[in-house]
Amino acid sequence: MRELEPASSGYAEAAEGLHLHYEIYGEGEPIVVLAGGLMPIRTTAQITGPLAERRQVIAIDLEGHGRTGLRDTPMSHERNGDDVAAVLRHLSIARADVAGYSHGGDAAIWMAIQHPEMVRNLIVIATGFARDGWYLETQEGMSAVGASLAEPMRATPIFEDYGHPDQFPLFLDRMGELMRKDWDWREDVRALPMPVLLIFADHDSVSMQHIAEFFALFGGGIREPGWIDPQFSRARLAIIPGYSHYNLGQGPEVAQVIESFLTQPTSPATQFAP
């Protein structure tokens, strides 16, 4: 894991008085990076580090994660999206690219649904638009998250960066409650107006069928694009080989794919000489 020191850090106030912890790396066009479920900011280092070489990266601990505490009310994906917007407003950033991994990807999706004017490009990493897009074994694992896991998890890196240890059991209960709920955001996602990049592992916990359906929501993978002057959909899809859902963010490829998408979203068609 890369060792990174933020250029600055702080807290932004959101609804119900929640103070969201954020860290800023690098300079340039802003991009938000959101970690996966239960994970603190530092677990995104293999993504934030390379991107910060050319961009201003804003990494955020979502509600209950890392150094951000809990509200008095249950978590929701929709409010996570609003929280991301609250951090950008706190930093006086009117528009940014937004990238999220797994649970962070859910927040990125809802940031884009509820605040489309603030999202230049949406990057969704290893999550689905509906709960049934995850394999059944994964759904069962989601449903099992709760306070009973608090004690064994205190010995993991998740707890090392946890800023509110007294809230840890409640945090796990809140996450389990959120992940047990059914959801299907198909129509909201289909209506998103901004360019979208979807990134998955070739052995992800989201099924390949669901990945194809996700891409198809934006017109991808449903028709022949043409040989000369191909007609691309408004989304891009990357399947990164040799990873699972759980280690995808630790490889260098994710940052490389994101940088390539932001720099040159469509490669020119190869012209064959006669």
Side-chain angles (χ1 to χ4, degrees):
M1 191 176 294
R2 298 168 64 103
E3 292 294 331
L4 298 177
E5 288 294 330
S8 63
S9 63
Y11 289 85
E13 186 170 349
E16 298 182 40
L18 183 68
H19 289 85
L20 292 142
H21 176 247
Y22 65 86
E23 297 178 357
I24 297 177
Y25 302 84
E27 297 179 348
E29 290 292 329
I31 179 170
V32 173
V33 174
L34 305 168
L38 311 182
M39 300 299 175
I41 284 173
R42 73 181 183 89
T43 61
T44 66
Q46 290 295 100
I47 300 173
T48 58
L51 291 178
E53 294 174 7
R54 298 181 59 178
R55 305 179 185 278
Q56 181 190 56
V57 179
I58 302 106
I60 302 171
D61 280 325
L62 293 171
E63 181 179 357
H65 291 69
R67 301 190 182 280
T68 297
L70 290 166
R71 294 179 168 94
D72 293 333
T73 52
M75 290 181 181
S76 77
H77 297 296
E78 294 87 345
R79 198 164 52 188
N80 283 339
D82 285 339
D83 289 345
V84 177
V87 174
L88 291 183
R89 291 194 188 102
H90 172 80
L91 297 171
S92 298
I93 296 174
R95 201 159 179 249
D97 301 313
V98 179
Y101 169 72
S102 195
H103 177 70
D106 299 334
I109 289 170
W110 275 98
M111 165 66 175
I113 291 170
Q114 296 175 144
H115 307 277
E117 75 286 352
M118 299 182 74
V119 182
R120 181 185 298 109
N121 295 282
L122 173 64
I123 298 128
V124 177
I125 308 166
T127 195
F129 61 80
R131 192 176 194 269
D132 64 10
W134 299 81
Y135 288 114
L136 287 177
E137 298 92 331
T138 311
Q139 294 179 46
E140 291 170 1
M142 292 175 176
S143 298
V145 173
S148 62
L149 300 176
E151 201 54 41
M153 291 184 72
R154 289 179 188 274
T156 71
I158 294 170
F159 191 73
E160 286 177 14
D161 287 355
Y162 200 72
H164 305 270
D166 57 315
Q167 293 185 344
F168 194 57
L170 178 59
F171 165 57
L172 295 175
D173 271 344
R174 292 269 182 88
M175 283 294 291
E177 179 184 356
L178 180 63
M179 292 190 290
R180 282 188 288 274
K181 291 180 179 178
D182 194 20
W183 74 87
D184 188 327
W185 307 327
R186 185 185 319 262
E187 296 310 316
D188 292 303
V189 168
R190 194 196 309 273
L192 289 172
M194 72 286 297
V196 178
L197 170 64
L198 305 174
I199 303 177
F200 293 90
D202 60 347
H203 289 76
D204 216 300
S205 299
V206 178
S207 76
M208 199 61 69
Q209 177 180 344
H210 189 79
I211 293 169
E213 291 174 359
F214 208 155
F215 191 37
L217 291 179
F218 304 105
I222 58 176
R223 63 177 60 87
E224 159 65 44
W227 179 33
I228 305 299
D229 189 23
Q231 301 302 300
F232 287 88
S233 71
R234 59 193 183 90
R236 302 292 175 266
L237 172 63
I239 305 294
I240 299 180
Y243 291 95
S244 72
H245 179 82
Y246 306 101
N247 68 355
L248 177 61
Q250 300 309 310
E253 292 92 340
V254 173
Q256 293 167 1
V257 169
I258 292 173
E259 184 61 43
S260 177
F261 167 70
L262 294 176
T263 304
Q264 187 178 2
T266 301
S267 298
T270 301
Q271 300 298 314
F272 293 96

